Amino acid sequence: MTDVRKAIVEAASRWRHEEHPARVEACARTLEADNRFTAEALAFAVNQQMELIDRESLDGWLGDGVSAPLDVGVIEAGNVPLAGLQDYLAVVGLGHRFIGSVSSRSPWLLPAFAEEAAAFGGPEAQFVDHDGLPEVVDALIASGTDETIEHLTMVTDELGVPALLRGNRYSVAVVDGRESEDERLGLAEDVLLHEGLGCRNVAIVFGAGDIDADPYFEALSVFRGTFPAHARTSGSLKMQQAFLDAVNAPHAYGEGLVYLVSRGDAEPQVPGHLRWVPVDDVAGAELWIRDHEESLQVVSARSGLDLRVPAERVALGEAQRPTLDWHADGRDTVAWLRAL
């Protein structure tokens, strides 16, 4: 494990530099793919993930390596940059063999990082088409749409292949009017970074009590000044905005339709469209969250808010900054890999 983890740390130390040639090329090619990544959000994601990777953190998260390495297939989503990095680190960091399949929306980042790690003595990761992958591996990790996960569940059950499968999830936030300006900007990041496409993106905000929503909407506009919307975002929101206007539903949007907010029932909308849900008090939000726990990834709220929820809780502005050891869908990937 010493050489593998040392190689990963060495690669990460180079990828922290935005001018590093391998990173520059991978990011440039990624921005040309069919996705909604922006240069600003892509740089944020790579920087945030690379800063987490050091030897002490890897050893503390992974512990000892496995004694019987397996071929572990990994099918990754491409909705946010470097979505598959944690799975790669867990698989190779424990000593298993990595056979990955990346999304056409993000086909360059993870393979380029894995290639860099291999150049410093890390394992040679394989990247293949996902068709037939369950048939050639000892275990499978996959993230995707509910339809994809339903299909993979059937396939892996028939083959008897152990599988860790993750479907659609989204995140919510709870505010009570006592949030600072920085916390409101943090909420804006939770909502809008990566155009609302990630499972950790806040799709619903519960406004507890009689609070003024305008400062939160203003924070969305301020955030867009630093992280501009992707060119396709406004087009994807036009139909929903027109419908809300036609039925006189309360809504607001940023200049150029770079985000959309509507009031209504607590139901997730299309990415980039935030649903604002007034509730009498925090207890009302807690009740809804308990009833929908299986659909939620994280709950975002200010640190001082007395909020008791079963889902993972993060501070406002932390939803898009997952830790190295975070549990996607509430599952411990490292523990699962150890149990194979």
Side-chain angles (χ1 to χ4, degrees):
M1 291 307 96
T2 299
D3 290 340
V4 170
R5 296 179 190 176
K6 180 180 179 181
I8 290 170
V9 170
E10 190 64 37
S13 70
R14 282 161 171 70
W15 276 58
R16 291 190 188 106
H17 302 285
E18 295 192 12
E19 301 303 319
H20 180 57
R23 170 176 166 167
V24 169
E25 180 180 1
C27 288
R29 298 179 79 176
T30 297
L31 290 172
E32 294 173 355
D34 183 19
N35 55 48
R36 291 196 196 176
F37 300 169
T38 65
E40 294 83 1
L42 182 55
F44 174 97
V46 176
N47 290 340
Q48 191 271 330
Q49 291 292 292
M50 293 302 133
E51 285 296 330
L52 297 176
I53 302 174
D54 57 55
R55 187 52 187 273
E56 182 179 359
S57 298
L58 283 178
D59 288 346
W61 171 42
L62 299 172
D64 295 333
V66 297
S67 57
L70 300 173
D71 290 333
V72 180
V74 181
I75 300 175
E76 296 298 350
N79 50 336
V80 299
L82 277 176
L85 181 64
Q86 188 200 46
D87 290 333
Y88 164 79
L89 295 175
V91 170
V92 303
L94 286 172
H96 290 302
R97 294 178 290 271
F98 181 94
I99 306 176
S101 175
V102 291
S103 168
S104 61
R105 290 173 293 176
S106 185
W108 305 113
L109 285 174
L110 187 58
F113 180 78
E115 182 179 353
E116 184 111 28
F120 290 109
E124 293 287 345
Q126 297 183 53
F127 288 90
V128 300
D129 188 89
H130 68 80
D131 290 338
L133 185 57
E135 286 87 355
V136 298
V137 296
D138 299 310
L140 181 73
I141 299 173
S143 302
T145 65
D146 287 343
E147 293 77 11
T148 297
I149 297 307
E150 183 178 356
H151 170 71
L152 288 173
T153 299
M154 180 179 65
V155 170
T156 53
D157 284 349
E158 290 178 355
L159 294 170
V161 174
L164 176 60
L165 306 177
R166 312 182 188 113
N168 288 333
R169 290 205 178 201
Y170 57 93
S171 300
V172 302
V174 182
V175 298
D176 68 347
R178 299 180 183 180
E179 288 73 26
S180 67
E181 181 180 358
D182 284 345
E183 287 170 329
R184 292 194 297 270
L185 287 172
L187 174 62
E189 178 183 298
D190 295 344
V191 173
L192 295 178
L193 191 65
H194 309 312
E195 308 306 292
L197 288 163
C199 63
R200 292 177 66 99
N201 276 101
V202 167
I204 299 170
V205 174
F206 292 95
D210 185 21
I211 67 174
D212 181 7
D214 286 345
Y216 300 89
F217 301 164
E218 291 170 6
L220 297 175
S221 294
V222 172
F223 178 81
R224 278 307 194 196
T226 304
F227 286 84
H230 189 275
R232 287 163 50 188
T233 293
S234 61
S236 71
L237 297 175
K238 283 182 180 178
M239 184 173 295
Q240 293 223 338
Q241 191 277 326
F243 171 78
L244 293 168
D245 200 39
V247 299
N248 293 319
H251 65 285
Y253 52 90
E255 184 177 355
L257 201 55
V258 293
Y259 67 81
L260 176 64
V261 184
S262 63
R263 292 178 187 260
D265 294 334
E267 299 173 347
Q269 306 298 303
V270 300
H273 178 177
L274 174 69
R275 178 53 57 90
W276 179 276
V277 182
V279 289
D280 291 337
D281 49 34
V282 170
E286 290 176 336
L287 178 61
W288 187 95
I289 290 168
R290 284 195 293 271
D291 288 344
H292 295 80
E293 177 187 0
E294 294 301 315
S295 299
L296 302 181
Q297 194 68 267
V298 301
V299 177
S300 180
R302 65 180 178 84
S303 300
L305 184 63
D306 184 14
L307 179 68
R308 300 167 190 177
V309 293
E312 178 186 351
R313 176 173 170 174
V314 298
L316 294 171
E318 296 297 323
Q320 303 299 341
R321 303 165 188 260
T323 59
L324 196 61
D325 60 350
W326 82 284
H327 293 177
D329 286 18
R331 301 284 299 277
D332 185 335
T333 304
V334 171
W336 183 83
L337 287 166
R338 286 190 174 283
L340 293 174

